[in-house]
Amino acid sequence: MTMKKDEILNKACFEEIRGVKVLHLEGKAYEMGYQHGYLLADKIDLMVNRTLLATAAYVAAQTGSNIDTAEELLWMGQRAAEPFLPQEFKEEMIGIADGVKDAGINVSLEQILLWNTNYDQWCIYCHPDYWKGDEQEDNKDKNQGDNQDDNQGENPVVGKNGNNGASQQNISKPAGGGCSSFSAWGEWAGGDGKLIFGKNEDNFNMPEQLSNRMLVVASPDDGIGHAFLTYPGMIGLDGGINADGLAMMTQLNSMQHESMKGCGIAIFTRLLLTHAQTVEDAIRIFQEYPRCAGIAYHVADARAKKAVVVETSSRKVCCRYPMPGVEALWQTNHSNCYPGWMGYSGYNMVTDQVPVNQLKDISTIENWQNSLKEPYNFYVQAPSRFERYQQLIHEYYSNITVENAIKILSDCYDPYTRQTRDVFFPSWTNNILCTICALYPDFAYKAKEPVGQFKAHIANMWSLVAYPETGDFWLAINDFPAQYGGYEQFNLKELLERSSV
């Protein structure tokens, strides 16, 4: 076993390149997991024995429950999700657990499985009308035909009361805004027209996480080489790029139809980066695999110069493409799948956001847009950013260089209030000074020991600009908001070659 272990570990390394922590993995799924677990055992110990305690404190605050109840909610979610894990990623997590154990750290497979549902559960509990397990699922009217593409769905319209009678829950802490992304190509990008892709990942700075952010470069035996950003012990998170020119990003896109009985953010990120070469491949994966929390996936194929936003819930898969003549696409954390809006047609996904985003009136596009702009709505995730992306992409039309892409991702202007947020001044609400470069106020939480009381806030965890076709990308990951620490340049193909040396 020692010889076998050495052979597995010789294919991997963990290093720091220009201040960025980089984990190189290579081999079969189990081997990549084992490399991850063994090399980062001490850091994984912090994630499952510190950060997960903070997640429980967050869920307790969101649900108005005590810590023990919140922990049971998390375990309930993990048990519900486990049967839906694709075998390759189950093997990778088993490998992580075995690697940690062989490195002398006491972390169980069950804890690794739980840690890998962390952000799916964060998404589910960050809004009213959240999933409550089997009992709620059994009481829902299941429509077996709802797993179809958007163009085959119905188009209901919600009246002015806007809640369809859904029960509302009081959330003790505002959920905050979230991630965003854009892509542009051809004449809209300018230069030689290569597709450029930009993304911001926004989340809480829970205990131990800021110092453990990392770039993972994976070279699987069965699949496409790729890179993504995550934390120790987690097999993926919010997207990345692969060696076939595909880029992707995830955005929290809360829906009333959510469940932990499906695949989550990390799983879909890895499925796409490992197996998808085109946007059509990506859409097919979302249709074939069961989904859990409401998430929008921005997928771009740099070689074909095509992009799509796939908005998902446990029941629906809806696709929004660029408008005719527009060689650009952008996405923030609220559904834009309203028929007649931005060129979209098909099922009205916005109806599934009414209870979770507390929307007052979506009976027309104008009324829906006005509902999104309610200044003291703490649930809709900063729709002003969608409008700001549109302004900036037009402002930099035919000149979306790397430098200008970074300016877009670092922008602090709020088009709703027409004010620029000071770089060190947090937004007031989701609709007052919440900008593309996000910075929210601190909130106080109390977790079990050894974490105890702590404060955390949302900001940009990492920010990335990429030319997926060439593999060149620029990553900000060393500050919070990440953009403030500057961007470092890498090339995926060079990193993959470095992994195989």
Side-chain angles (χ1 to χ4, degrees):
M1 176 60 190
T2 301
M3 180 64 71
K4 177 69 173 174
K5 183 177 79 171
D6 290 344
E7 290 175 4
I8 293 173
L9 292 175
N10 283 341
K11 295 189 286 187
C13 70
F14 181 62
E15 62 179 342
E16 193 166 297
I17 305 174
R18 294 188 297 281
V20 177
K21 297 177 179 66
V22 183
L23 175 65
H24 300 265
L25 306 175
E26 183 178 348
K28 297 186 182 301
Y30 176 86
E31 293 176 330
M32 292 196 299
Y34 189 90
Q35 295 158 1
H36 185 162
Y38 192 91
L39 293 173
L40 301 185
D42 57 337
K43 296 173 174 58
I44 294 170
D45 185 26
L46 292 174
M47 297 296 104
V48 300
N49 289 307
R50 298 287 194 279
T51 310
L52 269 175
L53 296 182
T55 300
Y58 169 81
V59 171
Q62 294 296 107
T63 59
S65 59
N66 60 39
I67 292 292
D68 289 336
T69 300
E71 286 185 350
E72 182 49 42
L73 288 174
L74 291 173
W75 282 111
M76 175 185 72
Q78 184 275 316
R79 290 191 295 269
E82 186 174 348
F84 300 94
L85 275 175
Q87 186 60 32
E88 62 188 298
F89 302 119
K90 179 72 173 290
E91 290 176 7
E92 189 168 339
M93 292 184 209
I94 292 170
I96 291 174
D98 287 351
V100 172
K101 181 181 178 181
D102 285 357
I105 300 292
N106 184 26
V107 170
S108 69
L109 172 60
E110 288 71 26
Q111 287 174 303
I112 296 298
L113 292 168
L114 177 63
W115 174 229
N116 276 276
T117 68
N118 187 78
Y119 285 100
D120 307 310
Q121 306 217 50
W122 187 92
C123 291
I124 277 182
Y125 291 114
C126 75
H127 59 71
D129 200 48
Y130 49 79
W131 180 71
K132 298 175 183 67
D134 292 342
E135 181 179 350
Q136 175 172 288
E137 287 295 303
D138 293 341
N139 290 334
K140 281 185 176 178
D141 177 25
K142 286 288 188 182
N143 184 336
Q144 295 301 317
D146 272 356
N147 269 355
Q148 303 302 314
D149 199 358
D150 56 300
N151 292 326
Q152 301 177 26
E154 65 276 22
N155 179 20
V157 176
V158 174
K160 290 195 174 183
N161 64 352
N163 63 13
N164 272 343
S167 62
Q168 305 301 312
Q169 306 291 330
N170 291 323
I171 292 183
S172 58
K173 301 293 183 187
C179 313
S180 62
S181 58
F182 76 92
S183 55
W185 57 94
E187 187 176 330
W188 284 64
D192 58 7
K194 287 199 306 285
L195 186 144
I196 189 168
F197 188 86
K199 71 188 190 82
N200 284 341
E201 198 269 348
D202 306 346
N203 217 288
F204 279 101
N205 56 333
M206 292 301 193
E208 309 297 344
Q209 286 195 286
L210 289 183
S211 60
N212 283 298
R213 293 171 284 184
M214 65 177 183
L215 173 69
V216 178
V217 179
S219 184
D221 283 356
D222 304 309
I224 305 163
H226 56 277
F228 58 93
L229 298 147
T230 190
Y231 305 101
M234 196 170 278
I235 68 160
L237 190 50
D238 72 314
I241 63 173
N242 75 17
D244 281 354
L246 191 89
M248 63 163 294
M249 175 56 184
T250 68
Q251 283 97 1
L252 166 65
N253 205 0
S254 301
M255 298 287 169
Q256 65 177 329
H257 301 305
E258 297 188 333
S259 167
M260 284 301 295
K261 294 181 175 181
C263 297
I265 303 168
I267 299 301
F268 278 118
T269 287
R270 294 294 301 287
L271 279 170
L272 267 63
L273 293 177
T274 305
H275 301 296
Q277 295 176 298
T278 66
V279 296
E280 291 79 15
D281 290 343
I283 294 167
R284 186 166 54 251
I285 287 170
F286 289 118
Q287 291 172 336
E288 291 177 353
Y289 287 84
R291 305 158 303 276
C292 55
I295 302 292
Y297 297 86
H298 184 163
V299 184
D301 174 356
R303 293 179 177 177
K305 293 185 172 63
K306 294 173 68 174
V308 63
V309 171
V310 185
E311 298 198 11
T312 69
S313 70
S314 63
R315 298 188 183 185
K316 286 286 184 183
V317 174
C318 294
C319 297
R320 180 172 66 86
Y321 297 91
M323 289 179 291
V326 176
E327 296 174 313
L329 192 63
W330 54 96
Q331 176 68 17
T332 56
N333 294 93
H334 66 286
S335 176
N336 285 281
C337 290
Y338 194 115
W341 172 255
M342 303 293 287
Y344 175 77
S345 63
Y347 175 76
N348 190 346
M349 200 77 154
V350 174
T351 62
D352 293 340
Q353 293 209 308
V354 169
V356 296
N357 280 348
Q358 304 281 276
L359 301 179
K360 291 183 178 179
D361 183 359
I362 66 163
S363 57
T364 66
I365 288 176
E366 182 181 8
N367 291 343
W368 163 56
Q369 287 291 301
N370 288 334
S371 287
L372 290 175
K373 295 180 180 181
E374 289 287 329
Y376 290 99
N377 184 328
F378 284 96
Y379 306 105
V380 64
Q381 283 99 23
S384 61
R385 296 169 305 146
F386 188 87
E387 187 172 314
R388 184 58 175 158
Y389 268 110
Q390 180 169 329
Q391 293 175 354
L392 290 168
I393 285 169
H394 283 81
E395 179 181 331
Y396 292 111
Y397 173 81
S398 81
N399 191 30
I400 304 181
T401 60
V402 171
E403 293 73 22
N404 287 335
I406 288 172
K407 288 179 183 177
I408 292 171
L409 294 173
S410 305
D411 188 77
C412 291
Y413 179 78
D414 172 18
Y416 286 3
T417 62
R418 298 181 182 178
Q419 295 181 35
T420 298
R421 180 183 65 76
D422 182 272
V423 291
F424 298 111
F425 186 80
S427 57
W428 289 6
T429 74
N430 288 356
N431 272 339
I432 300 177
L433 292 180
C434 189
T435 56
I436 292 173
C437 181
L439 179 61
Y440 275 75
D442 264 329
F443 290 100
Y445 298 92
K446 186 173 183 180
K448 286 185 174 179
E449 296 297 337
V451 174
Q453 293 190 356
F454 68 95
K455 289 184 178 180
H457 63 273
I458 289 175
N460 304 125
M461 191 63 73
W462 45 69
S463 180
L464 179 141
V465 174
Y467 285 114
E469 187 173 7
T470 64
D472 292 309
F473 65 94
W474 291 257
L475 173 64
I477 198 171
N478 287 326
D479 206 338
F480 195 65
Q483 297 92 328
Y484 296 3
Y487 290 72
E488 294 293 340
Q489 183 177 358
F490 297 89
N491 181 274
L492 175 59
K493 294 172 184 178
E494 291 176 1
L495 288 170
L496 288 169
E497 289 172 2
R498 189 184 185 108
S499 297
S500 61
V501 172

